[in-house]
Amino acid sequence: MLPLKSMTWVLLLLLLSPAIINLSTSQSDARWAAKKRRLRDKVHKMFYHAYDNYMIHAFPHDELKPLSKSFTDSLSELGNLKLERLPQDYSGSALTLIESLSSLVIMGNNTEFQSAVVWLSENLTFNVDARVNLFECNIRVLGGLVSAHLLATDSTDRLGKGVYKNQLLTLAEDLGKRFLPAFDTPTGLPFAWVNLKYGVMENETTETSTSGCGSLILEMGALSRLTGDPKYESAALRALRKLWSMRSSLNLLGTTLDVSTGEWIEYSTGIGAGVDSFYEYLFKAHILFGKEEFWRMFHSAYIAVQKYFRHGPWYHEADMRTGKATYWQLTSLQAFWPGLQVLVGDIAAANSSHREFVYVWKKYGVLPERYLLDHQMLHPTEKYYPLRPELAESTFYLYQATKDPWYIEVGESIVNSLNLYTKVDGGFASIRDVTTMQLEDHQHSFFLAETCKYLFLLFDDSFLVEKNYIFTTEGHPLPVLSSWHDRLPETYIQTNRTLLKTGNQARRTSSMSKQVCPPTTLNSWECSGQQVESACHVPDARSDHRCLTDDECGVDSSNCRRRSCSMAGYCGLWLFI
């Protein structure tokens, strides 16, 4: 037995240990909270350094040229819009201002938001002879206006009484009407380009991308819900359904197609440029509008991506007809994918891919536009970094899901790199070559719409407290409203449900109804220690997992890989052992 004096010390230590642990935890939490506040303030300064320089040197033109402290109205993606009270030969659209509206609200600047709303209400018009890219104009301009209208009319009363009378919605509806001629094709798939005054021009190109005609449903659907006019959502939905009908037997879609014939032009496909937001909008449309149809499309497409594109933590490109790999490359736009996987509930897969993007970021200081996986080297001609937001976006989502402080450190690394390599006296400049950090005289509007926004929300998510938003592919928030849903299922939808056993009872649940609970995340607070199936899970045909062919095997719940039938007649991940 221990001496009495020793036993006294042991008992005292046992009594004090919880207090010491709680004090240590409290001190650690306080340090992290202070660090987040410091980083939030740093991002706040970044945003206003970019915004103020735009307003001084470029407004009301499209975008800022930060090195020369001038402006550009030559957006090849967007075409140009015009303003009411300026000379007829002027072609600016105040694009960066439109893109900054929701960011101003998120950062708490209601005064500047009100000034911007009033200015746009009095000056912006779309009745101009301007050829615009439908996809870009939709996500940037229509999305910015619709989102800002919703923020201007929510319950916070952030605008002065009598200031706002739906002017942004009026502008948005006018723009939506000017989009509709683009959908007048034999297939219902829209032209990539449309003239805002005269519609589709003679001899207009019939080539478009999967993203271009499959990523319109959020903005145009929201416009229909706000105006009560179904024609905008109907046009976007018809195009989406037609596009889905063109998928291969593998549930894969190509990258480019002809809107007149409905034939594919480019069969090589992946999750990057030309296709990325198609996947994003299928799932987000399901959240925003509650349609089971969107979930069914996404579920099939997501499983196909995991089966044919995924190689460990990376995603390569493949032929939509055969599933065989075509290009082994990472593109910066692919960095959105982990964020989407968080919404689905596949946290383990999201974290795995995200860490590889972070590795490439740290290797070069920023994320290059294209990186060749098979050679572990940069693409020889696409070595630029145009201030893209996708890695910051996925970092934000993963931190929201896990609260792992490592993601705060990733965010800090991104902030430091942007300030070190891209900040100049006149704003933030794009990088022309990541090997030399040579700068390019361009500050894209999405730096204010997305990059700064997601970094700010990573460190301060007070805007989201007790609210439910989805963000468009351009970072514009849209509230999830029950009045917009066709119906509200008890726990989403039947095809995504599984049984969650609690004691002797079983109840319906899903990874989405539990928000983020793949079975590998056993300690996640959302799951309360319970295992929930991942959204990509497809069970084996038989409960005893016996099989005769691979067709009787499903998709594994933890890593989304297709299971196969062994020689002994059992389903499993035999090809990956």
Side-chain angles (χ1 to χ4, degrees):
M1 295 180 64
L2 289 172
L4 180 61
K5 187 174 182 180
S6 298
M7 290 184 66
T8 301
W9 280 108
V10 170
L11 289 171
L12 183 61
L13 182 61
L14 290 172
L15 289 171
L16 290 176
S17 292
I20 294 171
I21 293 171
N22 288 336
L23 178 61
S24 176
T25 302
S26 176
Q27 290 175 338
S28 177
D29 290 344
R31 284 196 298 270
W32 277 108
K35 183 171 188 174
K36 288 170 65 177
R37 287 194 297 271
R38 177 175 60 81
L39 290 169
R40 174 203 62 191
D41 293 344
K42 201 168 185 178
V43 175
H44 189 272
K45 290 178 181 178
M46 289 170 59
F47 174 83
Y48 280 102
H49 181 68
Y51 180 81
D52 290 344
N53 271 288
Y54 164 74
M55 295 301 291
I56 293 169
H57 302 296
F59 176 78
H61 296 263
D62 291 334
E63 293 180 313
L64 171 67
K65 298 176 74 173
L67 298 178
S68 59
K69 296 183 180 179
S70 58
F71 57 84
T72 174
D73 286 319
S74 57
L75 285 176
S76 58
E77 300 93 349
L78 257 177
N80 300 299
L81 309 179
K82 290 184 180 178
L83 300 165
E84 286 277 8
R85 301 180 180 179
L86 293 169
Q88 289 297 311
D89 59 349
Y90 176 75
S91 58
S93 66
L95 173 67
T96 297
L97 182 65
I98 296 172
E99 289 260 71
S100 300
L101 291 172
S102 59
S103 296
L104 290 168
V105 171
I106 288 173
M107 296 192 186
N109 195 339
N110 291 336
T111 301
E112 186 69 13
F113 176 66
Q114 177 172 311
S115 297
V117 169
V118 170
W119 192 92
L120 290 168
S121 302
E122 295 176 350
N123 292 279
L124 187 62
T125 179
F126 299 115
N127 186 33
V128 290
D129 182 3
R131 178 178 178 261
V132 300
N133 181 276
L134 178 65
F135 169 75
E136 294 290 348
C137 200
N138 175 70
I139 65 172
R140 297 193 189 198
V141 183
L142 182 61
L145 292 173
V146 167
S147 174
H149 166 75
L150 288 162
L151 292 171
T153 55
D154 66 15
S155 59
T156 59
D157 296 325
R158 55 177 50 90
L159 296 183
K161 188 175 182 180
V163 171
Y164 189 66
K165 299 177 181 178
N166 296 334
Q167 299 100 309
L168 298 183
L169 180 59
T170 300
L171 283 168
E173 185 171 19
D174 180 45
L175 181 59
K177 289 177 181 177
R178 297 173 189 277
F179 284 174
L180 293 179
F183 292 85
D184 187 14
T185 65
T187 62
L189 298 166
F191 284 94
W193 298 86
V194 62
N195 185 289
L196 292 180
K197 190 169 188 177
Y198 300 112
V200 178
M201 304 302 289
E202 187 178 358
N203 298 321
E204 182 61 82
T205 178
T206 57
E207 182 176 346
T208 190
S209 67
T210 296
S211 291
C213 55
S215 308
L216 306 166
I217 189 64
L218 293 186
E219 294 84 359
M220 296 188 72
L223 181 60
S224 280
R225 304 304 168 105
L226 290 168
T227 62
D229 191 335
K231 62 188 177 186
Y232 311 108
E233 182 176 357
S234 295
L237 184 56
R238 182 190 175 205
L240 185 59
R241 286 170 173 163
K242 174 59 181 178
L243 188 64
W244 182 243
S245 73
M246 294 166 57
R247 69 192 185 280
S248 72
S249 60
L250 306 179
N251 284 329
L252 297 176
L253 294 90
T255 303
T256 58
L257 59 137
D258 189 295
V259 301
S260 292
T261 65
E263 299 293 329
W264 290 106
I265 297 172
E266 177 55 64
Y267 294 102
S268 181
T269 184
I271 59 169
V275 190
D276 49 358
S277 54
F278 165 75
Y279 296 109
E280 179 185 1
Y281 272 36
L282 283 181
F283 188 70
K284 289 182 176 179
H286 165 62
I287 296 174
L288 191 63
F289 303 124
K291 285 182 180 288
E292 184 174 352
E293 176 184 12
F294 295 134
W295 167 255
R296 288 197 302 267
M297 291 180 188
F298 175 79
H299 188 246
S300 299
Y302 184 75
I303 291 172
V305 166
Q306 297 300 100
K307 180 177 180 181
Y308 296 107
F309 299 159
R310 186 177 178 183
H311 183 78
W314 302 104
Y315 289 83
H316 57 74
E317 295 181 19
D319 190 306
M320 63 170 285
R321 300 163 295 184
T322 64
K324 292 183 178 180
T326 52
Y327 300 105
W328 292 79
Q329 57 189 3
L330 171 151
T331 63
S332 61
L333 289 172
Q334 293 175 353
F336 89 99
W337 188 255
L340 179 59
Q341 290 184 304
V342 169
L343 293 179
V344 176
D346 288 330
I347 308 301
N351 174 64
S352 177
S353 294
H354 177 268
R355 286 178 182 268
E356 298 301 328
F357 284 107
V358 172
Y359 165 76
V360 176
W361 177 285
K362 290 184 175 180
K363 181 176 180 178
Y364 294 102
V366 293
L367 196 62
E369 188 70 4
R370 198 173 298 270
Y371 181 78
L372 303 178
L373 296 174
D374 46 353
H375 299 292
Q376 292 291 294
M377 61 175 286
L378 288 173
H379 189 282
T381 61
E382 297 187 46
K383 298 185 286 186
Y384 53 89
Y385 170 67
L387 307 174
R388 289 203 190 278
E390 284 77 15
L391 183 60
E393 176 186 2
S394 287
T395 305
F396 157 70
Y397 279 115
L398 276 161
Y399 180 69
Q400 285 291 313
T402 66
K403 300 304 178 185
D404 185 338
W406 182 78
Y407 296 108
I408 297 296
E409 294 178 352
V410 172
E412 182 178 26
S413 176
I414 295 173
V415 168
N416 290 340
S417 290
L418 289 171
N419 280 294
L420 177 62
Y421 298 120
T422 72
K423 185 179 181 181
V424 296
D425 185 56
F428 285 83
S430 300
I431 295 176
R432 187 185 301 275
D433 187 335
V434 302
T435 62
T436 63
M437 292 301 174
Q438 178 189 1
L439 296 178
E440 183 176 354
D441 197 10
H442 198 169
Q443 178 183 287
H444 291 273
S445 62
F446 55 68
F447 180 72
L448 292 158
E450 301 180 82
T451 309
C452 289
K453 178 183 293 165
Y454 284 122
L455 288 170
F456 187 88
L457 288 172
L458 172 64
F459 306 127
D460 182 352
D461 61 0
S462 56
F463 171 76
L464 301 172
V465 173
E466 297 182 356
K467 296 172 185 168
N468 196 4
Y469 290 97
I470 58 119
F471 289 88
T472 70
T473 197
E474 194 70 9
H476 299 304
L478 299 175
V480 179
L481 306 172
S482 60
S483 59
W484 284 13
H485 279 226
D486 291 352
R487 62 186 182 87
L488 286 173
E490 183 180 349
T491 48
Y492 285 89
I493 57 173
Q494 187 67 35
T495 54
N496 188 42
R497 289 183 177 175
T498 186
L499 286 176
L500 177 64
K501 293 185 178 179
T502 307
N504 295 324
Q505 295 182 331
R507 58 187 177 85
R508 292 289 185 182
T509 189
S510 73
S511 65
M512 289 196 299
S513 65
K514 300 298 289 182
Q515 292 187 327
V516 282
C517 301
T520 53
T521 315
L522 299 180
N523 297 321
S524 177
W525 65 268
E526 295 93 341
C527 299
S528 302
Q530 299 165 327
Q531 293 193 33
V532 182
E533 297 290 2
S534 168
C536 69
H537 178 234
V538 176
D540 297 331
R542 294 176 54 169
S543 59
D544 61 1
H545 309 293
R546 295 297 301 269
C547 57
L548 294 175
T549 67
D550 289 348
D551 291 338
E552 296 177 88
C553 301
V555 176
D556 191 79
S557 63
S558 62
N559 59 22
C560 296
R561 289 199 177 277
R562 182 80 191 188
R563 292 156 63 84
S564 59
C565 189
S566 70
M567 294 181 65
Y570 285 92
C571 291
L573 294 175
W574 311 117
L575 298 178
F576 304 100
I577 295 177

